[in-house]
């Protein structure tokens, strides 16, 4: 029982650490680290617009192998010339444990399953029109996405999403007051329009009303 408690505490601490690390990346706390991560992701996605995913993965694998093999041979020659016995240059990485624990796999599997079930339930609610207003909003969203799909392919949308994820947090942090003000105005306008439509169209009032 104590071991389970310790494992749970450690997993929570690890999850918190990763969340903080992601937040630091998105808010550009360390410009160099965020720049490297953002540049690598963007370069990978742009490569996929030119080559297939198989080709991109193959080129990345070849590049990594070229670096590691050359470094391994270089260190071997250097050790032979200096007659030193430093061992394998990647020994610290080879000895490092990289296996996923069963507790971590079960934990994240449960999280994914819970969110999947919630998504399925929400889609059922929308498609079977449990709430007419929400279903109409969803239909409008699908209609807008048809135009988005006509303008951009899936990969372009992913690239724009990545750029937005790395840009929006820092922009919001610098101009939070102004953005909150305009978002509140838009929300109030949308609520007024929805309220007027609900009042005029029969059957569009929510069940709680």
């Amino acid at each position: 029982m104590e071991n389970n408690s310790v494992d749970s505490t450690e997993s929570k601490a690890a999850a918190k650490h990763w969340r903080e690390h992601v937040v630091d990346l998105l808010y550009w706390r360390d410009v160099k680290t965020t720049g490297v991560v953002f540049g690598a992701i963007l370069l990978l996605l742009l490569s996929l617009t030119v080559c297939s995913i198989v080709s991109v993965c193959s080129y990345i694998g070849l590049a990594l192998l070229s670096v590691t093999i050359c470094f391994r041979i270089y260190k071997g020659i250097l050790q032979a010339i200096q007659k030193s016995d430093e061992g394998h240059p990647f020994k610290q990485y080879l000895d490092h444990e990289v296996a996923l624990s069963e507790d971590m796999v079960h934990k994240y599997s449960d999280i994914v399953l819970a969110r999947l079930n919630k998504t399925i339930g929400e889609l059922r609610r929308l498609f079977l029109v449990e709430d007419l207003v929400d279903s109409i909003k969803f239909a409008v969203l699908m209609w807008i996405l048809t135009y988005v799909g006509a303008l951009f392919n899936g990969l372009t949308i992913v690239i724009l999403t990545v750029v937005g994820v790395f840009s929006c947090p820092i922009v919001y942090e610098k101009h939070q007051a102004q953005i909150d003000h305009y978002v509140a105005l838009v929300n109030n306008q949308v609520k007024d329009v929805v309220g007027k439509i609900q009042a005029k169209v029969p059957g569009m009032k929510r069940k709680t009303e």
Side-chain angles (χ1 to χ4, degrees):
M1 188 71 178
E2 291 181 357
N3 290 335
N4 291 335
S5 178
V6 171
D7 292 339
S8 177
T9 303
E10 289 179 351
S11 63
K12 288 180 179 179
K16 183 180 179 181
H17 171 73
W18 277 107
R19 282 196 297 268
E20 292 175 351
H21 189 59
V22 170
V23 170
D24 289 342
L25 276 176
L26 297 181
Y27 281 90
W28 295 76
R29 306 298 188 213
D30 186 343
V31 177
K32 184 177 180 181
T33 302
T34 302
V36 170
V37 173
F38 177 54
I41 295 174
L42 195 59
L43 180 62
L44 174 63
L45 293 174
L46 290 174
S47 300
L48 290 174
T49 62
V50 179
C51 305
S52 68
I53 188 170
V54 175
S55 298
V56 172
C57 291
S58 299
Y59 285 131
I60 292 174
L62 284 173
L64 289 175
L65 281 172
S66 299
V67 172
T68 54
I69 290 172
C70 291
F71 185 73
R72 175 75 172 85
I73 294 173
Y74 167 74
K75 293 295 289 187
I77 295 173
L78 197 61
Q79 289 176 23
I81 294 175
Q82 297 177 348
K83 296 182 179 180
S84 61
D85 188 18
E86 297 179 2
H88 199 287
F90 300 117
K91 180 175 174 53
Q92 59 176 334
Y93 302 106
L94 292 171
D95 294 338
H96 188 71
E97 182 65 36
V98 294
L100 294 174
S101 66
E102 291 185 7
D103 292 337
M104 183 177 292
V105 172
H106 287 310
K107 174 188 173 184
Y108 287 104
S109 297
D110 292 340
I111 292 174
V112 170
L113 182 60
R115 292 185 177 178
L116 180 61
N117 289 334
K118 184 178 179 181
T119 301
I120 293 173
E122 185 67 16
L123 289 174
R124 180 185 64 180
R125 188 182 72 85
L126 291 170
F127 280 107
L128 298 182
V129 199
E130 181 180 347
D131 187 299
L132 184 58
V133 175
D134 288 342
S135 294
I136 290 176
K137 289 179 181 178
F138 185 64
V140 171
L141 176 62
M142 293 296 100
W143 178 69
I144 293 173
L145 288 178
T146 61
Y147 287 94
V148 174
L151 294 174
F152 309 104
N153 59 29
L155 190 56
T156 304
I157 294 174
V158 172
I159 292 173
L160 293 175
T161 302
V162 170
V163 173
V165 165
F166 279 90
S167 303
C168 292
I170 190 66
V171 172
Y172 177 74
E173 187 178 44
K174 291 182 177 179
H175 307 283
Q176 183 175 354
Q178 297 93 321
I179 293 174
D180 288 343
H181 173 70
Y182 288 112
V183 168
L185 290 176
V186 172
N187 283 335
N188 290 333
Q189 291 293 330
V190 171
K191 288 179 180 178
D192 290 341
V193 172
V194 172
K196 292 177 181 178
I197 295 174
Q198 287 177 341
K200 293 181 178 180
V201 179
M204 288 196 64
K205 290 187 177 180
R206 295 181 182 273
K207 293 180 178 181
T208 55
E209 297 178 357

